[in-house]
Amino acid sequence: MKIKKLNTAFFDRDALLVAPELVGKILVRQFEDGQQIRLRITETEAYCGEEDKGCHASKGKTPRTEVMYMEAGTIYIYLIYGMYQMLNFVTEKENLPHAVLIRGAGEFNGPGKLTKAFKITGILNRKNICTNGELWIEDDGYKADILAAPRIGIDYAGEEWASRPWRFTDKLAQIKPSSAKLK
DNA sequence: TCTCCGATTCACT
DNA sequence: GTGAATCGGAGAA
């Protein structure tokens, strides 16, 4: 199948629809020196709006979370534990704080490792995945066999939200699960 | 201004 | 299995 770059329309939907479909897509990182990294996404997680207690935007719009209220396809980079960058893509229309976290791609099985390998930093925050020339996603027609599982690292949101099966992985890739603590 | 803590990872016991 | 590293955002004071 012809390889195509994902457009805004792909992201302009519910995160619960976008997250599983992103699994199997190709994440492309273009560096200034011409070097390019291409890895197939193997693990994602969905965060859906203010009612989702596991979502950063659950407490309303703040300087940090307003990125999630921006248009579909906006890149949301978040620094966690003072040392790791999380890579997310905003979905849904403006004012609807939905986002999809990229937890793993290719040989990298954790969000922190992924962003380190891709040299993802806050400078990409708020840029759009469809229009910037440094990071984007391509679809080569690969159909992933999706496996849904509970999200990780959001116990503070409470059992009800932490147990939602909103983490999606490629059953075939079956790389070792994310090294994040599984409880 | 001050304090608390996280969408994690890695070294060490 | 346990705990340190490390810092900006959010909420309290």
Side-chain angles (χ1 to χ4, degrees):
Chain A
M1 176 187 269
K2 177 172 176 289
I3 292 179
K4 61 182 179 183
K5 192 170 169 179
L6 295 186
N7 56 29
T8 302
F10 178 87
F11 296 95
D12 193 9
R13 295 177 295 155
D14 192 302
L16 286 176
L17 293 176
V18 178
E21 288 187 34
L22 272 180
V23 177
K25 295 294 185 292
I26 310 291
L27 184 63
V28 185
R29 175 72 162 112
Q30 178 71 58
F31 294 102
E32 295 180 6
D33 63 4
Q35 185 185 357
Q36 191 181 72
I37 298 179
R38 304 169 67 85
L39 289 175
R40 195 179 297 284
I41 296 173
T42 57
E43 186 173 6
T44 65
E45 272 184 21
Y47 289 88
C48 302
E50 298 180 352
E51 66 171 18
D52 175 4
K53 294 300 182 294
C55 181
H56 287 161
S58 65
K59 291 172 183 168
K61 199 171 182 176
T62 68
R64 177 177 66 159
T65 65
E66 66 176 1
V67 179
M68 284 198 274
Y69 291 77
M70 293 172 72
E71 67 175 342
T74 301
I75 299 171
Y76 172 39
I77 304 295
Y78 168 64
L79 178 66
I80 188 64
Y81 299 120
M83 43 177 72
Y84 296 108
Q85 307 283 146
M86 301 283 106
L87 172 62
N88 305 255
F89 297 127
V90 175
T91 72
E92 268 287 8
K93 301 173 175 52
E94 286 189 54
N95 297 317
L96 283 180
H98 282 215
V100 175
L101 165 69
I102 305 302
R103 291 193 65 86
E107 64 196 281
F108 306 103
N109 64 337
K113 294 176 181 177
L114 178 68
T115 53
K116 181 181 178 184
F118 273 64
K119 293 184 171 59
I120 301 291
T121 66
I123 62 173
L124 289 173
N125 197 28
R126 294 166 177 263
K127 288 192 176 182
N128 193 290
I129 193 64
C130 308
T131 61
N132 86 85
E134 301 176 86
L135 184 71
W136 65 88
I137 296 177
E138 292 177 357
D139 179 3
D140 68 348
Y142 174 83
K143 295 297 181 185
D145 192 355
I146 306 299
L147 183 66
R151 290 179 292 179
I152 291 175
I154 55 169
D155 290 352
Y156 65 87
E159 178 66 26
E160 178 185 354
W161 292 100
S163 62
R164 290 291 167 95
W166 289 353
R167 177 163 62 98
F168 305 94
T169 59
D170 182 342
K171 196 181 299 181
L172 297 180
Q174 266 312 315
I175 51 173
K176 16 187 194 302
S178 169
S179 51
K181 289 179 182 175
L182 292 167
K183 294 188 178 179

